[in-house]
Amino acid sequence: MDFNGLITKYGNIRFAPDGKDETGAYMLIDEYKIHVRQDDLAIVLGLPVSEIHPLIDNYSRITR
């Protein structure tokens, strides 16, 4: 799924980190990992994914 499809499908889910790494925090949604930088974390907490898309640093599909 491309980034726009991800935002369309999961846009109403509120950002709540599932973990942190050395550069920021990430949230797992279905089979995707959405990452935001540490500097932006305080801004995006609790906001819908559709509203924070400019601050999403990276996203990737994960395999389990």
Side-chain angles (χ1 to χ4, degrees):
M1 178 180 316
D2 69 348
F3 185 71
N4 290 330
L6 183 73
I7 297 300
T8 301
K9 186 172 182 179
Y10 301 109
N12 291 331
I13 296 175
R14 297 191 178 273
F15 189 84
D18 290 310
K20 292 185 177 185
D21 59 20
E22 58 278 349
T23 61
Y26 61 87
M27 179 177 171
L28 303 174
I29 301 176
D30 197 13
E31 58 187 28
Y32 293 92
K33 180 178 177 180
I34 296 174
H35 188 271
V36 295
R37 294 183 321 215
Q38 185 67 36
D39 297 341
D40 298 328
L41 185 56
I43 298 169
V44 302
L45 285 176
L47 291 176
V49 171
S50 62
E51 292 182 19
I52 67 164
H53 68 87
L55 299 176
I56 293 174
D57 183 39
N58 188 14
Y59 84 101
S60 59
R61 185 173 181 192
I62 56 174
T63 56
R64 297 183 184 177

